[in-house]
Amino acid sequence: MLRAMARVSTRDEILRVAAEQFAHFGYKGTSLQDIAAEVGCSKATLLYHFAGKDAILAELTAPAARELADLVARLAPLDDTAVQAAAIEGFVDLVLRHRREAKVIYGGIPQFLQEPAFAGLLPLTDALCAAFAGRSTEPAACIAAEVVLSGIVTVVIDEEREAAELRAALVGVARRALLTRPDDKD
Amino acid sequence: MLRAMARVSTRDEILRVAAEQFAHFGYKGTSLQDIAAEVGCSKATLLYHFAGKDAILAELTAPAARELADLVARLAPLDDTAVQAAAIEGFVDLVLRHRREAKVIYGGIPQFLQEPAFAGLLPLTDALCAAFAGRSTEPAACIAAEVVLSGIVTVVIDEEREAAELRAALVGVARRALLTRPDDKD
DNA sequence: GTCTATAACGAGATAGAC
DNA sequence: GTCTATCTCGTTATAGAC
């Protein structure tokens, strides 16, 4: 039971550093050189552990993408009134579990990478957005959902605050922003 | 009075296309090749009209950045209760006047460009964020302000809807999200 | 598993003809 | 003003020693 060391493995360290830099500077804005320098190894070592830069990205985002698919599946059977609250809490928790990856998955990526690993993401974010809007097709509700969704993923990477405080604040702002009926005690 | 033609000038067309592509794919994610192809000219023509890629970016963002500075200056003398409402309407209007540029200015840029043209932007967005929070230093208020601010700029570039409808929806969601006191009739 | 060296490619930018 | 051709540099990726 001594597996939780500071330095697990070079491979995991590469993933950690890459996630951080992709989120901060974007996929294109981050070079293998940058990642290698931060990890403390050479570019060649990166490419020994991963087939290429895109493979790092794919492996990085896979767990969060899978959890997003799970969340969307869990939301599907809920009725229009319950789906919004469940979407907010489920997504905030997901994003807090994957702070760095969230921004990479939600923003930026789909435009310049059509790999199978990312092809399924757009429908998922669309479904999540609809859930945030309480399945309303009102323009105001859709726009509000988009604002909240993109706002959350953008903010969470740069915020230093602890998870519990951040969670409460994000759930709170999402509820208020998406409020169409008076059901909360905040 | 016949200046409003479809094709004003190559120079303006370059600015228009660059703004669009920077917003969609990011500054680093857009090559001069990409811009030239969309404009229908060569890379050399781009560099005849502008000193370099960064000069395109600087000229592109200058008007919106100046307006942002003006807005922050207008907000400064307002008291804590009035500043929030003024910030919301002022910023939404600003963003709608500069849909494409807004995302470029608010996100992404500061990390990889420390030129004088952009050095002053971070303090401005910080001041705007404080205004959104009603100058509160409560974590919840600050986080809410960040969510709304980043959400607005992210959403506005991809939204197809007309300005009036978009404006009403954005102001509405911002007011609800930042609501700390009951003063609105929405 | 990690390194140095280098190949292969694409990017921003320049030169000079038209 | 716009082009083709070219230069230079940074990037991804490979080869081969240790």
Side-chain angles (χ1 to χ4, degrees):
Chain A
M1 192 94 68
L2 49 110
R3 56 198 157 134
M5 309 299 283
R7 171 70 159 233
V8 263
S9 72
T10 301
R11 195 170 197 283
D12 291 349
E13 186 69 3
I14 291 168
L15 286 174
R16 191 188 64 78
V17 169
E20 209 160 88
Q21 301 209 0
F22 287 167
H24 276 299
F25 309 114
Y27 178 73
K28 296 257 206 176
T30 304
S31 73
L32 296 184
Q33 193 76 262
D34 298 331
I35 301 171
E38 180 72 19
V39 170
C41 69
S42 71
K43 288 184 290 177
T45 298
L46 263 55
L47 295 165
Y48 166 79
H49 288 285
F50 299 93
K53 192 184 177 184
D54 53 351
I56 299 179
L57 178 65
E59 183 150 335
L60 199 62
T61 53
R66 191 169 37 72
E67 287 184 38
L68 177 61
D70 292 347
L71 173 62
V72 169
R74 275 206 314 280
L75 296 174
L78 300 180
D79 64 55
D80 293 1
T81 53
V83 72
Q84 192 176 64
I88 292 172
E89 299 215 3
F91 185 65
V92 168
D93 285 338
L94 194 165
V95 159
L96 288 176
R97 277 196 302 274
H98 303 278
R99 285 205 190 195
R100 292 174 297 274
E101 299 87 326
K103 191 176 178 187
V104 183
I105 287 183
Y106 187 82
I109 296 296
Q111 286 103 351
F112 51 86
L113 265 188
Q114 272 88 334
E115 297 176 34
F118 303 98
L121 280 180
L122 246 58
L124 291 178
T125 55
D126 284 349
L128 189 64
C129 196
F132 266 60
R135 301 224 181 85
S136 164
T137 55
E138 286 283 320
C142 295
I143 291 169
E146 290 172 28
V147 169
V148 172
L149 208 41
S150 58
I152 287 174
V153 298
T154 305
V155 159
V156 84
I157 177 65
D158 297 314
E159 265 299 335
E160 310 284 338
R161 290 173 242 266
E162 61 153 332
E165 186 174 54
L166 199 45
R167 183 186 192 283
L170 291 176
V171 170
V173 67
R175 278 187 187 151
R176 289 194 303 273
L178 301 171
L179 200 61
T180 43
R181 54 186 196 291
D183 65 336
D184 64 337
K185 56 185 188 308
D186 208 329
Chain B
M1 198 80 74
L2 49 111
R3 56 200 157 129
M5 309 299 281
R7 171 70 160 230
V8 264
S9 72
T10 301
R11 194 168 198 283
D12 291 349
E13 186 68 3
I14 291 168
L15 285 175
R16 193 189 62 79
V17 170
E20 209 160 87
Q21 300 209 1
F22 287 167
H24 275 300
F25 310 114
Y27 178 73
K28 296 256 205 177
T30 304
S31 72
L32 295 183
Q33 194 76 262
D34 297 333
I35 299 171
E38 180 71 20
V39 171
C41 70
S42 69
K43 284 189 292 178
T45 298
L46 263 55
L47 295 165
Y48 166 79
H49 288 286
F50 299 93
K53 191 185 179 185
D54 53 353
I56 300 179
L57 178 65
E59 183 150 337
L60 198 62
T61 53
R66 191 169 37 71
E67 287 184 38
L68 178 60
D70 291 347
L71 174 62
V72 169
R74 274 206 315 280
L75 295 174
L78 300 182
D79 64 55
D80 293 1
T81 54
V83 71
Q84 192 177 64
I88 291 172
E89 299 214 4
F91 185 65
V92 167
D93 285 337
L94 194 164
V95 159
L96 286 176
R97 279 195 301 274
H98 304 278
R99 285 204 189 195
R100 293 175 297 275
E101 300 87 325
K103 191 176 177 186
V104 182
I105 288 183
Y106 187 81
I109 295 299
Q111 285 103 354
F112 50 86
L113 264 189
Q114 272 89 334
E115 297 177 34
F118 302 99
L121 280 181
L122 245 57
L124 291 178
T125 55
D126 284 349
L128 188 65
C129 197
F132 266 59
R135 301 225 180 86
S136 165
T137 54
E138 286 283 320
C142 295
I143 291 169
E146 289 171 28
V147 169
V148 172
L149 208 43
S150 59
I152 287 175
V153 298
T154 306
V155 159
V156 84
I157 176 64
D158 296 315
E159 264 300 336
E160 311 283 338
R161 289 174 243 265
E162 61 153 333
E165 186 173 53
L166 199 45
R167 182 186 193 283
L170 291 176
V171 170
V173 68
R175 278 187 187 151
R176 290 194 303 276
L178 301 172
L179 199 62
T180 44
R181 58 189 191 288
D183 66 335
D184 63 337
K185 56 186 188 306
D186 209 327

